Amino acid sequence: NDPFTIAYVFETISKKNKKQKANDQIKQINEASKDKINNKNKINIKKIIFISSTGGDLCESETKFFKDAIKKYNNIEITYIFNFFTYFLEDDELTITYYDQDQKDMNSCIINMNENFQTLFMYKSIHPDMWNEYLYKFSELLEKNFFLQINPPHLSRIANDKFLSTELLDKYHIQQPKYCLIEKIEIDMHRNEDPKKFGANNILLNKLAKIYDIKAEKFSDIFDYEYVIKTLNGSHGIGVMVCTGKQILGILQTLYYLDPTLKLLVQAKEKTIDGDLRVHVLTLASGQYIVAKMKRKKIGGDFRSNYSLGADIEDVELTQEQIQLAFNVAKVSGLTWCAVDIMPIKENEQGYENVIIEYNQNPGVEGISKILHKNFFNVLLDLLFKHVSKDDFTKTNNITYIL
């Protein structure tokens, strides 16, 4: 009859019910769209063109996972294209010439343009050197001829740039930490000013103060605030750091001394609750589907929670807010498959309980495969083959041209 014991029991039951409800909701969401696909629009993918880079443990690991997964689908023809390739279109035949994985031999394949609704192009672990106008024109050709691409390079470029993707989410009022872009000119302007005179007109100080909605006359006014600094193209936890307002000027000056061309995203550091969540979302014409999800715990005293850096991972039950937030981000991104990183936080001034850290067009699959106890690509492809329709090939990604 102890009231504290009774309260604890009711709280425990309530948490279990919420978890079960979230699980049920995901199942309902993933099943709700099954009947939306008109039989006339049903598509059977017969060919996959897998485009990737070689070199580095990550590229090799991702390719191995995909090769292991594709063995399940005996009726699908698979072509692997690595590194640089050339292409030309003649009549209804697209000829692609490319290196094999060992970069020793040149091969070629011919794509019949009339088989567009049977062919999937999949880009994975593309090296930055391949993100160029040539690849964009190739992708544009595919899009104009209604080939399905996961994910188109022009959309991936936005996702791969932390400032562009943050700006895109901001345009659609997606909840995320407040931010600003810092460039070397602002550091130089600060250095050339008379410390006794700068204050309200100091661009660098104003940007950093505005993140926390405060007014600052001198740098000591922001000493007690914490900031997250990110390089625009970092990945897997590399290229991100946390510092205080007392440290930030010295860090920025050092970074721009090492590389004057840097552009940096600076964000407010939210008060997190033990790590973050990664949610893989598949977005098709028939609906949106949760492919997989996991919780990533912070690494010891580190603020990062990347599996590639050694963070612990576990399965997680999502709240309805987190499910909807992941769906909203995936929809805005324009990507068919993306991983959305959500940070549960101690409620901030805007009243949010979750904020978006970022979304990924090229997420790693090793950690999530451990959570699933099966190859992630099999789960993704099974969902895709079950729900893909002709409408997914003919859609246009107008979101591309917003930025």
Side-chain angles (χ1 to χ4, degrees):
N1 295 326
D2 182 0
F4 293 102
T5 302
I6 294 172
Y8 173 78
V9 169
F10 274 104
E11 183 181 0
T12 303
I13 293 173
S14 175
K15 286 182 178 178
K16 287 182 178 179
N17 288 339
K18 286 181 180 178
K19 288 181 179 180
Q20 184 59 47
K21 185 177 180 181
N23 261 351
D24 292 342
Q25 286 168 338
I26 292 174
K27 289 179 182 177
Q28 290 170 7
I29 290 167
N30 284 357
E31 293 296 322
S33 303
K34 284 196 301 184
D35 300 325
K36 287 185 180 180
I37 302 175
N38 188 306
N39 288 331
K40 293 181 180 179
N41 288 335
K42 191 73 180 76
I43 291 293
N44 291 316
I45 292 175
K46 296 181 179 180
K47 183 180 294 185
I48 296 179
I49 312 298
F50 184 88
I51 301 177
S52 185
S53 303
T54 57
D57 293 338
L58 179 64
C59 294
E60 300 296 333
S61 173
E62 299 292 291
T63 302
K64 183 179 183 302
F65 268 94
F66 187 82
K67 285 186 172 182
D68 288 343
I70 207 66
K71 293 175 184 176
K72 173 182 175 181
Y73 312 100
N74 297 323
N75 60 329
I76 293 180
E77 178 186 339
I78 178 75
T79 299
Y80 294 96
I81 295 177
F82 294 94
N83 297 315
F84 183 77
F85 61 90
T86 61
Y87 68 93
F88 65 89
L89 180 64
E90 185 175 0
D91 297 326
D92 289 329
E93 290 187 339
L94 175 66
T95 301
I96 306 174
T97 306
Y98 59 93
Y99 279 110
D100 61 14
Q101 192 167 3
D102 295 328
Q103 294 196 77
K104 293 180 179 178
D105 300 314
M106 290 289 289
N107 298 307
S108 64
C109 67
I110 297 176
I111 307 296
N112 188 327
M113 301 301 279
N114 295 318
E115 296 178 351
N116 49 353
F117 295 123
Q118 302 173 7
T119 306
L120 165 66
F121 282 80
M122 190 159 189
Y123 305 85
K124 194 74 182 78
S125 299
I126 301 292
H127 191 276
D129 290 345
M130 285 184 69
W131 296 109
N132 52 41
E133 289 303 317
Y134 191 78
L135 184 62
Y136 297 145
K137 289 183 182 298
F138 174 73
S139 174
E140 186 178 358
L141 172 66
L142 297 178
E143 185 170 359
K144 286 181 178 178
N145 286 276
F146 306 123
F147 285 90
L148 180 59
Q149 303 176 77
I150 301 178
N151 286 298
H154 51 285
L155 293 180
S156 295
R157 181 184 70 87
I158 296 173
N160 200 46
D161 185 304
K162 287 183 169 52
F163 180 67
L164 290 181
S165 56
T166 300
E167 284 277 276
L168 179 60
L169 297 184
D170 187 59
K171 287 178 184 292
Y172 286 88
H173 309 291
I174 303 291
Q175 53 213 55
Q176 58 185 333
K178 290 192 173 183
Y179 67 94
C180 68
L181 181 71
I182 300 293
E183 300 182 68
K184 184 177 183 295
I185 188 171
E186 289 145 356
I187 305 298
D188 292 340
M189 290 173 65
H190 169 79
R191 183 184 61 190
N192 296 330
E193 286 187 28
D194 182 350
K196 294 180 181 179
K197 295 180 180 179
F198 80 71
N201 296 322
N202 185 274
I203 297 175
L204 176 62
L205 179 58
N206 280 345
K207 278 190 170 184
L208 297 174
K210 190 176 180 180
I211 287 177
Y212 282 100
D213 291 324
I214 62 171
K215 292 184 178 180
E217 294 293 330
K218 52 190 181 300
F219 262 83
S220 58
D221 293 335
I222 65 168
F223 276 4
D224 293 333
Y225 294 89
E226 287 189 290
Y227 295 89
V228 179
I229 303 174
K230 297 179 179 180
T231 57
L232 300 192
N233 301 115
S235 61
H236 307 290
I238 308 300
V240 57
M241 65 196 80
V242 168
C243 67
T244 63
K246 189 173 185 178
Q247 301 164 325
I248 194 167
L249 180 58
I251 289 173
L252 292 175
Q253 289 170 332
T254 302
L255 290 173
Y256 283 110
Y257 173 78
L258 295 172
D259 185 356
T261 66
L262 270 180
K263 292 183 180 181
L264 298 169
L265 181 71
V266 178
Q267 294 175 310
K269 185 179 183 299
E270 300 284 359
K271 295 179 180 178
T272 66
I273 304 174
D274 189 27
D276 59 45
L277 313 175
R278 169 157 288 187
V279 186
H280 291 260
V281 180
L282 178 66
T283 301
L284 298 173
S286 62
Q288 290 184 283
Y289 309 90
I290 301 289
V291 185
K293 53 195 170 44
M294 67 179 178
K295 180 178 181 179
R296 308 184 299 182
K297 296 185 176 181
K298 288 186 287 188
I299 310 164
D302 202 331
F303 69 97
R304 295 171 296 179
S305 56
N306 299 78
Y307 174 76
S308 57
L309 297 178
D312 291 328
I313 55 176
E314 61 185 36
D315 197 3
V316 67
E317 308 302 334
L318 302 176
T319 66
Q320 184 59 35
E321 179 188 338
Q322 290 161 351
I323 294 169
Q324 193 58 55
L325 191 53
F327 282 170
N328 290 347
V329 172
K331 192 72 173 178
V332 164
S333 75
L335 301 172
T336 301
W337 162 43
C338 76
V340 182
D341 293 342
I342 301 173
M343 180 188 292
I345 61 173
K346 298 175 182 177
E347 189 172 305
N348 63 10
E349 293 179 0
Q350 286 75 41
Y352 299 146
E353 294 182 358
N354 299 278
V355 292
I356 295 299
I357 305 173
E358 62 187 20
Y359 65 91
N360 301 268
Q361 53 81 23
N362 182 39
V365 302
E366 183 179 350
I368 199 68
S369 294
K370 285 187 176 181
I371 294 298
L372 292 168
H373 303 293
K374 61 178 72 174
N375 191 317
F376 171 83
F377 282 122
N378 284 129
V379 180
L380 176 67
L381 291 174
D382 284 348
L383 263 177
L384 176 69
F385 296 157
K386 184 176 183 179
H387 296 291
V388 70
S389 69
K390 192 173 182 179
D391 293 335
D392 293 302
F393 289 73
T394 57
K395 70 178 180 180
T396 56
N397 292 302
N398 295 328
I399 201 79
T400 308
Y401 309 105
I402 288 178
L403 299 177

